[in-house]
Amino acid sequence: MFRHICLFILLCCTTLLATGQSRTSTQSPINSPKPIDSATLSKIISQQVKDTSGKSAIRLSDTSVAIIITRLETYTLMLNQVMSTLRRGMDTVEISESIPLIDSSMRVVKKDMTAFGSTNNVHDLYTNRVLLVQLERKLDKWQDQLFKFHDRLVNITDTLQILRQDTSMRNIPAENELRDIYVGQMASLIQKWRQVDSANKRNLLHLGLLQNRVAKRYIDVTNLLEDMDYQLTRFNQRMFNKDFSYLWEPPLPGKKGPRFPEVLHRSVRKNLNILKIFFAVSGPIYLFWILGAGLFLWWVRVNAGKIKRKHEDREAESILQHSRYLYRHQLASTVVLTATLSFLVSIQYPIFYSGICWMIAAVATTFIIRNNVPDNLFKRWLLLVFLLALYCVNNLLIQVTFFEQWGIFAGGILSVILGLYLLKTLRNTTLPLPKYSRSAIWTFTILSGLSVLLVLMARVAAAKIMGAASVVSITMALAIVLTVEILMEAIYIQVEAKKDSSTFISMIDYQNIKSRLKTIFYIVASIGWVALLARNLYLYDGLYEIISNLLMAERKIGNFTFSFSSVIIFLLIIWLSTVVTQIISYLLGYTGQSSQPQKKLGSAMLLIRLAILGAGTLLAFAASGIPMDKLAIVVGALGVGIGFGLQNIVNNLVSGVILAFEKPIEVGDVIELGTRTGVVKEIGIRSSKISAGDGSEVIVPNGDLIAQQLVNWTLTSRTRRVDVIVGVAYGTDLKKALTIIKDYLLNLDDILKTPEPVVLLQNFRDTGVDIQSMFWISDLGQAGVMKSEVLTDIYVRLQEAGISIAHPRPQQLQINMEPGMWKQPPAATTPATPAQPVAAVTPTPAASATGRSGETLPPTAGD
């Protein structure tokens, strides 16, 4: 591109040199160039060629014809594109049309600043400041845009200047016919160049004037903003000074001021004007929130419809009833959510806009809770909404009146009484209230009491701030709590609607994430509520500056420089990395809800978790500003720690990596490790979790999984052999028994046919003959159930075939009770034969010479 530009510059330079030598009279300036026809240009070029004085700038050449023609075509296309861009012009119409709006906005602020001596409303001062901040941002954005346009035009100017000064196009064809064609094309090209130069200068002139207008207004807005900050500083210094008459005495004759209706009319008109200007400068923010509310309502209704289509009416209604706010009050819940989020993020918005959002949120909250709270509490809530409306109107007033002073006093008394009543009711209520409800009510009561005290001391401005902050904080606290509940219910409905699909949402178990997600939402909501309270007390800017300075200030420990913000960023990224790994572990790992996980991603999941933690650590170092060479120090310290006592931990970490690559076990595998048997639930970085059959979870270091002998029942498949031993009595037809059992196993559907079941005679025992049956099943998780079923069926079939199951029999002894038998027998002269084992003996009648029969005794425990 640069080569082409240079060639075009040479062409222009040739023309300018030719026109400079043929100038015999006063010519028009460059701003209004005259067209040069081909005949004139040809005559000039011919004179240059015939010039023998050695000053000629044009040389004849026969070798550069193709190059010259190609360059002419390239530059013609390039100039056409540049001219098209210049004709479209720079997009400065919006800036030109918006400058009058900036002027009218500054006139409103200037008019208010002239009346600051009689204005005691800090809300009005902050509204003006918000407007000036928005104007400053708008003008700064315009300046950046205009500077980009200016740079673009300057680049075009520099390009044209370079083209004028380049001399590489001084060679022209020596052949007369080719020279005539070349001269005509060059004349057309020169004309385009002059047009581009003229249009570029006009754009530069217009842009310079516009930049001057914007810069002037930017300076004026900056000066006004500095003056406004000074006025706010002075107001904060004298905020607790006496600024009006006491309640028990009439105002001074010269201090009565205007009447309340007149002040109210002027205040509303002024705030409406400021709100219109704000929307005109910043854009219609309300359209964004209305669109968001419409999308949220549509989303909820679509998900509710999916639940109704997937389930029966009664079951669908039971599911949806768990969302007691969102499903029953869809429109009101959407309004509460939208309005609450709007005023939480509206840090630099006019007080009129914030007041509208507060009232919308309070009214929508009223519709939601009217059937969910007792009547006595609902009536107190209505009183709170009424007080909120009064303070929203009071915040708009640009001047204090005697009527307003009495209104603040009455509102403060009502608020104190209401706060004490709520604290008393809170002790006996059974409603599921948030954890810090009592703290919020105490804050409301204390601020209301301060408002009453300040208005009695004739500090009306401070009393207004305290009263408004107390009522806004307690009413919007309920709206914020409802917002958290509505968000949780929206997630619940989404999960239920997608439960049977194959999307990402279907992998989420709402009950498992409910408590964690709700805790996060409440933490964010608490921060938002504290920020809202600080804004209404006009402490937000000061606290923000203090916290920013505290976090951003650089501190040193030896040669190491750091800031609290970098430490927080470092810890936050590490924490987020850990949370992400937990989420991945939950979504891709074994959750314990099924004995057969669909995917065995334990090793891949472990590698992903290691990668995320490693990337998170590196990102934490980079984002926090910690030099990467410090990482070498950490690694060195870690090496020293390994030498002094971290061998076991490092062993487990390395073993985890080995498990990830070697894959001896996967999530969901059934393993035996020593005396422990269970299902692998999670393969962690340092340790793994095994879910035992009794419901316990065993934490096993990864080093033990590598070092010890491990039995994996499901490494390649989930099939398993089941052994069943059945004993039959002696005298049984063994072939018949074997056939019955074999036929039964072959005909059972749940038993695999390959390998075929085997029935063998195993052993002879004292009580009977053992028959062993061996068969295979497809799922080892059903081994216990199948064994019980097979034993039951075999017992029934053997009984039906008349085959007795072997069982132990009690031993019996026959004892002769004749008197002669009690004498001790003489010593044997012959060796005694070994005593035979006494088995179960059936008692028989004993015949004797005396005719007495033997007497049988029952067996004793000693027998």
Side-chain angles (χ1 to χ4, degrees):
M1 184 65 185
F2 178 75
R3 180 177 62 85
H4 294 165
I5 293 173
C6 293
L7 293 175
F8 174 69
I9 294 173
L10 298 178
L11 179 62
C12 297
C13 181
T14 301
T15 305
L16 291 174
L17 289 174
T19 55
Q21 291 188 6
S22 61
R23 187 177 299 165
T24 57
S25 60
T26 303
Q27 293 182 342
S28 301
I30 298 178
N31 292 338
S32 57
K34 292 183 178 180
I36 301 178
D37 55 15
S38 300
T40 305
L41 185 59
S42 178
K43 183 178 179 180
I44 295 173
I45 293 175
S46 300
Q47 292 176 355
Q48 288 286 327
V49 171
K50 296 177 181 179
D51 189 3
T52 58
S53 62
K55 299 180 180 180
S56 176
I58 300 177
R59 296 187 299 271
L60 297 178
S61 175
D62 290 328
T63 60
S64 59
V65 175
I67 297 176
I68 293 174
I69 294 175
T70 301
R71 291 175 179 176
L72 284 174
E73 293 177 353
T74 302
Y75 287 130
T76 301
L77 294 176
M78 184 189 69
L79 281 178
N80 289 335
Q81 293 176 357
V82 173
M83 193 62 191
S84 177
T85 302
L86 292 175
R87 285 176 178 173
R88 289 195 302 267
M90 307 299 172
D91 189 11
T92 59
V93 177
E94 179 186 358
I95 300 176
S96 302
E97 293 179 350
S98 300
I99 286 180
L101 178 63
I102 303 295
D103 295 337
S104 61
S105 303
M106 287 192 295
R107 283 195 297 269
V108 171
V109 176
K110 289 178 181 178
K111 182 178 179 181
D112 287 341
M113 292 184 67
T114 58
F116 276 158
S118 59
T119 301
N120 296 299
N121 187 1
V122 68
H123 302 293
D124 190 56
L125 297 179
Y126 267 92
T127 297
N128 290 329
R129 185 181 183 279
V130 166
L131 183 60
L132 289 174
V133 169
Q134 296 295 330
L135 293 178
E136 185 183 39
R137 291 178 179 176
K138 194 73 172 179
L139 290 169
D140 187 62
K141 179 181 177 182
W142 286 351
Q143 282 189 323
D144 292 339
Q145 185 177 355
L146 292 176
F147 274 119
K148 291 180 181 178
F149 292 160
H150 181 267
D151 292 340
R152 193 182 305 173
L153 294 177
V154 168
N155 288 335
I156 294 176
T157 302
D158 294 341
T159 301
L160 296 177
Q161 292 298 325
I162 293 173
L163 290 172
R164 289 184 62 183
Q165 298 171 3
D166 200 313
T167 59
S168 60
M169 289 289 291
R170 295 179 180 178
N171 297 328
I172 64 173
E175 185 67 29
N176 292 333
E177 186 176 355
L178 290 175
R179 185 168 62 246
D180 293 340
I181 297 175
Y182 171 75
V183 168
Q185 292 178 349
M186 188 166 59
S188 176
L189 194 62
I190 292 173
Q191 187 65 28
K192 288 181 183 296
W193 182 91
R194 294 164 65 90
Q195 293 175 357
V196 169
D197 183 60
S198 178
N200 187 57
K201 289 180 178 179
R202 288 195 302 269
N203 284 329
L204 278 173
L205 178 61
H206 171 73
L207 193 62
L209 295 174
L210 190 58
Q211 281 182 306
N212 183 45
R213 296 171 64 188
V214 172
K216 180 179 181 302
R217 283 152 183 83
Y218 182 82
I219 295 173
D220 293 341
V221 169
T222 303
N223 293 334
L224 287 175
L225 190 57
E226 292 178 357
D227 293 341
M228 188 62 64
D229 289 336
Y230 172 73
Q231 293 292 341
L232 285 170
T233 302
R234 287 188 56 196
F235 184 89
N236 293 331
Q237 293 174 353
R238 65 175 188 270
M239 184 173 62
F240 292 98
N241 296 337
K242 181 181 177 182
D243 52 10
F244 210 69
S245 304
Y246 292 108
L247 286 172
W248 53 84
E249 65 181 14
L252 298 176
K255 298 291 185 179
K256 288 185 177 182
R259 303 173 68 179
F260 178 76
E262 180 184 352
V263 173
L264 179 61
H265 176 72
R266 289 193 291 110
S267 300
V268 172
R269 185 175 60 184
K270 180 213 169 178
N271 280 276
L272 282 174
N273 189 24
I274 288 181
L275 191 62
K276 292 179 182 178
I277 295 174
F278 175 79
F279 286 146
V281 173
S282 303
I285 304 297
Y286 58 90
L287 292 180
F288 169 78
W289 290 110
I290 291 174
L291 179 61
L295 292 175
F296 180 79
L297 183 60
W298 171 81
W299 176 53
V300 170
R301 291 185 174 179
V302 167
N303 287 331
K306 290 181 179 179
I307 293 175
K308 290 180 179 179
R309 289 192 298 270
K310 291 181 179 180
H311 302 84
E312 296 180 357
D313 294 342
R314 183 176 299 179
E315 184 180 0
E317 192 68 20
S318 176
I319 294 174
L320 292 173
Q321 286 300 326
H322 284 83
S323 58
R324 55 177 181 170
Y325 300 129
L326 188 56
Y327 176 62
R328 298 176 185 175
H329 310 281
Q330 295 182 7
L331 182 59
S333 298
T334 303
V335 172
V336 168
L337 177 66
T338 306
T340 303
L341 293 178
S342 180
F343 72 72
L344 284 178
V345 301
S346 59
I347 298 176
Q348 295 291 344
Y349 286 12
I351 189 65
F352 196 12
Y353 178 83
S354 299
I356 293 173
C357 293
W358 296 338
M359 286 305 304
I360 292 175
V363 172
T365 302
T366 303
F367 281 99
I368 293 176
I369 68 172
R370 60 181 176 181
N371 296 324
N372 296 312
V373 297
D375 291 339
N376 57 340
L377 290 179
F378 184 70
K379 291 178 181 178
R380 271 65 183 183
W381 167 256
L382 292 178
L383 179 58
L384 274 176
V385 175
F386 174 73
L387 290 173
L388 177 65
L390 290 181
Y391 276 108
C392 285
V393 174
N394 191 38
N395 287 339
L396 303 179
L397 300 179
I398 60 178
Q399 193 171 352
V400 177
T401 61
F402 196 63
F403 179 80
E404 180 188 2
Q405 186 181 15
W406 274 102
I408 296 173
F409 176 74
I413 294 295
L414 285 175
S415 299
V416 171
I417 296 173
L418 183 58
L420 295 175
Y421 174 82
L422 292 176
L423 287 173
K424 180 180 178 181
T425 306
L426 201 62
R427 300 191 190 99
N428 303 322
T429 185
T430 58
L431 293 174
L433 299 176
K435 184 177 180 180
Y436 298 104
S437 299
R438 182 178 294 274
S439 301
I441 297 176
W442 269 114
T443 303
F444 164 68
T445 307
I446 293 173
L447 290 177
S448 300
L450 289 175
S451 177
V452 173
L453 182 62
L454 289 170
V455 78
L456 289 175
M457 298 171 62
R459 274 70 173 175
V460 181
K464 179 189 293 188
I465 293 173
M466 296 296 177
S470 65
V471 175
V472 171
S473 64
I474 193 63
T475 50
M476 293 303 103
L478 182 57
I480 292 173
V481 170
L482 282 179
T483 298
V484 173
E485 296 296 329
I486 290 168
L487 285 174
M488 293 300 301
E489 291 177 359
I491 295 173
Y492 166 75
I493 293 177
Q494 175 68 20
V495 172
E496 290 294 330
K498 298 289 186 179
K499 181 168 289 186
D500 298 331
S501 64
S502 59
T503 59
F504 172 82
I505 300 296
S506 63
M507 303 175 66
I508 296 177
D509 185 0
Y510 177 77
Q511 297 301 326
N512 287 346
I513 67 172
K514 178 180 178 181
S515 58
R516 294 184 181 181
L517 194 60
K518 197 170 186 178
T519 301
I520 295 174
F521 281 167
Y522 268 115
I523 291 174
V524 176
S526 300
I527 296 174
W529 183 81
V530 172
L532 175 67
L533 181 62
R535 289 206 304 268
N536 282 280
L537 291 174
Y538 293 98
L539 301 174
Y540 181 83
D541 293 336
L543 290 176
Y544 181 81
E545 184 176 357
I546 292 173
I547 295 174
S548 298
N549 294 334
L550 179 65
L551 295 179
M552 300 303 296
E554 291 188 354
R555 291 168 173 80
K556 287 188 176 182
I557 299 179
N559 295 328
F560 179 68
T561 303
F562 71 98
S563 63
F564 288 146
S565 61
S566 61
V567 175
I568 293 175
I569 292 174
F570 181 85
L571 297 177
L572 182 62
I573 293 178
I574 295 295
W575 176 74
L576 288 176
S577 301
T578 305
V579 171
V580 171
T581 57
Q582 291 177 352
I583 293 174
I584 292 176
S585 175
Y586 171 75
L587 293 178
L588 302 182
Y590 177 66
T591 62
Q593 300 173 2
S594 173
S595 60
Q596 297 185 20
Q598 296 180 356
K599 296 181 179 180
K600 302 174 69 175
L601 299 174
S603 301
M605 180 182 63
L606 178 58
L607 292 175
I608 293 173
R609 293 173 63 185
L610 288 172
I612 291 175
L613 286 178
T617 303
L618 295 177
L619 181 62
F621 272 95
S624 59
I626 301 176
M628 296 302 293
D629 56 355
K630 306 297 181 183
L631 187 60
I633 300 176
V634 176
V635 174
L638 183 61
V640 175
I642 293 172
F644 279 102
L646 297 178
Q647 299 96 333
N648 192 22
I649 296 176
V650 174
N651 176 36
N652 292 326
L653 293 175
V654 175
S655 299
V657 177
I658 295 174
L659 289 174
F661 284 98
E662 188 177 343
K663 300 180 181 180
I665 60 174
E666 294 277 2
V667 172
D669 282 346
V670 180
I671 65 172
E672 288 184 14
L673 184 66
T675 59
R676 293 284 185 178
T677 302
V679 180
V680 179
K681 187 175 182 180
E682 179 183 348
I683 303 176
I685 298 173
R686 188 197 65 83
S687 61
S688 301
K689 292 181 181 179
I690 299 176
S691 178
D694 56 2
S696 63
E697 292 187 0
V698 184
I699 309 299
V700 181
N702 289 335
D704 294 346
L705 296 174
I706 296 295
Q708 297 185 21
Q709 184 177 2
L710 182 144
V711 178
N712 190 341
W713 288 93
T714 56
L715 181 61
T716 57
S717 67
R718 292 185 63 86
T719 59
R720 178 178 176 175
R721 194 188 74 184
V722 180
D723 295 348
V724 175
I725 299 176
V726 179
V728 296
Y730 283 105
T732 301
D733 187 352
L734 294 178
K735 291 185 178 181
K736 181 179 180 182
L738 293 173
T739 302
I740 291 173
I741 297 174
K742 183 67 175 289
D743 292 342
Y744 164 71
L745 294 177
L746 289 175
N747 294 326
L748 193 60
D749 294 335
D750 294 333
I751 294 177
L752 298 177
K753 302 303 183 289
T754 303
E756 183 178 324
V758 178
V759 181
L760 302 173
L761 185 65
Q762 186 191 43
N763 199 3
F764 293 98
R765 296 187 179 274
D766 295 337
T767 58
V769 181
D770 289 343
I771 299 176
Q772 182 181 15
S773 303
M774 296 176 289
F775 56 88
W776 291 81
I777 60 176
S778 59
D779 184 11
L780 59 85
Q782 303 296 320
V785 176
M786 286 298 301
K787 186 173 183 179
S788 175
E789 181 182 349
V790 168
L791 283 172
T792 303
D793 291 343
I794 289 176
Y795 177 80
V796 172
R797 291 175 182 269
L798 292 178
Q799 289 291 328
E800 292 176 351
I803 299 175
S804 299
I805 301 297
H807 60 85
R809 295 183 179 180
Q811 295 181 354
Q812 295 181 350
L813 295 177
Q814 184 176 354
I815 300 176
N816 194 340
M817 299 301 293
E818 295 180 2
M821 299 301 293
W822 288 87
K823 296 180 180 180
Q824 185 175 4
T829 58
T830 59
T833 59
Q836 297 296 326
V838 180
V841 179
T842 305
T844 58
S848 64
T850 60
R852 296 181 63 182
S853 61
E855 194 172 326
T856 303
L857 296 178
T860 63
D863 297 335

